[in-house]
Amino acid sequence: MKNILIVGGAGYIGSHMCKYLANNGYNPIVLDNLVYGHKEAVRWGPLIEGSISDSRLLKQIFSKYQIVAVMHFAAFCYVGESMTAPAKYYRNNVADTINLLEVMVEKNVSSFIFSSSCATYGEPVEIPITEKHPQNPINPYGRTKLMVEQILDDFKNAYGLESVSLRYFNAAGADPDGEIGEDHKPETHLIPLVLQTALGQRKSISIFGDDYPTKDGTCIRDYIHINDLADAHFLALKRLINGLPGGKYNLGNGDGYSVGKVIETACKITGKPIPINIVERRPGDPAVLVGSSKKAAGELGWKPRFPDLYTIIETAWKWHSRYPEGYKA
Ligand code: UDP
């Protein structure tokens, strides 16, 4: 069985990837420092507890297992925190990633799949956002993702390291079996917060601004199901294994839903009241972020299987209603 190193495999996206790989005949080997990840989410292969800043550990892992490719999901991803603690973000998301890449080069592992972000584009000048849209990130988090993309270009030229950077729009939903799901502490993402409100764990959901130039005045985002992200990673992996060149791809549905629509849909699914509270806009939030994924469709053969918002929230609800306390329970 082919070994894939999943850095950050105890996290939300990484754990779904592990399940997907195991179901498709691969052995996911997880390296996670468990700062935000959950031990309980690692069920489909070994867990190595440690950090990519530890070159010695990395070398041991590459010596012990014959690793075919590396998928890198480990990053700090709180935009607000990245503004107040940029050093932490540049160190973890950029410097430590360079460390990982250097060891890969030394150990002759040349296939890398990177979790990038639509945050690399910054304020959109055109919707839908294609890969050709200018990349002008407006916060340190987005800059760390863009820097790694650029570093990967340099590593390809210098060392032949081939990579696919996947620019996620809003990752959402959960494993349709309800086995694993989204459990961030602290939670800042809209859908889990809305579902926690439905569960009565929060008094209300704050809507960050209802005076945007959109139909209902709330922000529009492109929500993409976690398993569709896993599909795209798997297609990217096959592309690299087959010796094809890497690339950079948007991963979104190409369809936007407003914050109001998300709450309304969650009300229908949960059958519970979800009180709202309109508050100030959140700094740095563009009115609309919707991506075009035509490139991923054409070159990777990717087609989202769970594109509708109802299914996305329904799968998330399956997890949240089953494990209201998250993995702790
Ligand atoms: N949002 C909101 N209230 C919240 C959290 C988020 O109104 O408590 C809005 C936010 O302004 C954005 C959308 O929901 O328009 C999605 O935000 P999230 O933080 O989930 O993802 P982001 O788009 O920031 O990556």
Side-chain angles (χ1 to χ4, degrees), residues 121-272:
Y121 295 115
E123 192 68 46
V125 293
E126 208 175 54
I127 296 288
I129 297 171
T130 69
E131 289 81 357
K132 293 203 174 93
H133 187 286
Q135 286 180 293
N136 294 311
I138 53 169
N139 50 58
Y141 167 71
R143 280 191 277 279
T144 65
K145 293 289 176 181
L146 178 56
M147 281 176 190
V148 173
E149 285 194 5
Q150 292 166 335
I151 290 165
L152 288 170
D153 290 340
D154 293 337
F155 268 60
K156 175 180 168 120
N157 292 334
Y159 313 118
L161 188 126
E162 204 60 67
S163 66
V164 174
S165 290
L166 298 171
R167 297 175 184 156
Y168 310 156
F169 281 71
N170 288 59
D175 169 32
D177 303 335
E179 236 185 323
I180 46 176
E182 186 169 12
D183 181 6
H184 293 115
K185 291 192 178 65
E187 188 53 78
T188 62
H189 293 113
L190 179 66
I191 291 176
L193 290 175
V194 166
L195 298 179
Q196 288 171 1
T197 311
L199 284 166
Q201 295 173 337
R202 293 173 191 270
K203 271 216 312 270
S204 62
I205 178 75
S206 296
I207 296 183
F208 297 151
D210 67 347
D211 56 351
Y212 283 95
T214 60
K215 218 163 130 196
D216 67 6
T218 65
C219 285
I220 291 179
R221 293 290 177 274
D222 184 341
Y223 297 93
I224 181 75
H225 194 276
I226 191 90
N227 278 28
D228 288 330
L229 291 183
D231 269 338
H233 284 74
F234 192 66
L235 292 166
L237 173 70
K238 287 214 254 178
R239 186 177 169 87
L240 294 182
I241 289 178
N242 289 335
L244 291 167
K248 301 179 176 84
Y249 302 95
N250 284 344
L251 298 180
N253 272 315
D255 245 345
Y257 297 102
S258 71
V259 172
K261 183 76 187 170
V262 167
I263 298 170
E264 182 196 311
T265 309
C267 272
K268 275 193 204 136
I269 291 167
T270 62
K272 313 253 187 221

Side-chain angles (χ1 to χ4, degrees), residues 90-107:
Y90 289 114
R91 181 168 299 112
N92 184 74
N93 294 8
V94 183
D96 291 351
T97 299
I98 296 174
N99 206 50
L100 169 65
L101 295 174
E102 272 190 298
V103 176
M104 284 180 64
V105 170
E106 189 187 316
K107 294 289 185 180

Side-chain angles (χ1 to χ4, degrees), residues 283-324:
D285 260 346
V288 180
L289 274 180
V290 174
S292 160
S293 301
K294 284 201 179 126
K295 190 178 171 197
E299 292 184 14
L300 300 177
W302 181 65
K303 188 171 184 293
R305 287 182 294 139
F306 306 94
D308 62 299
L309 184 66
Y310 194 94
T311 313
I312 291 174
I313 299 180
E314 203 178 28
T315 56
W317 178 239
K318 191 165 180 181
W319 155 260
H320 279 277
S321 53
R322 192 182 277 186
Y323 302 103

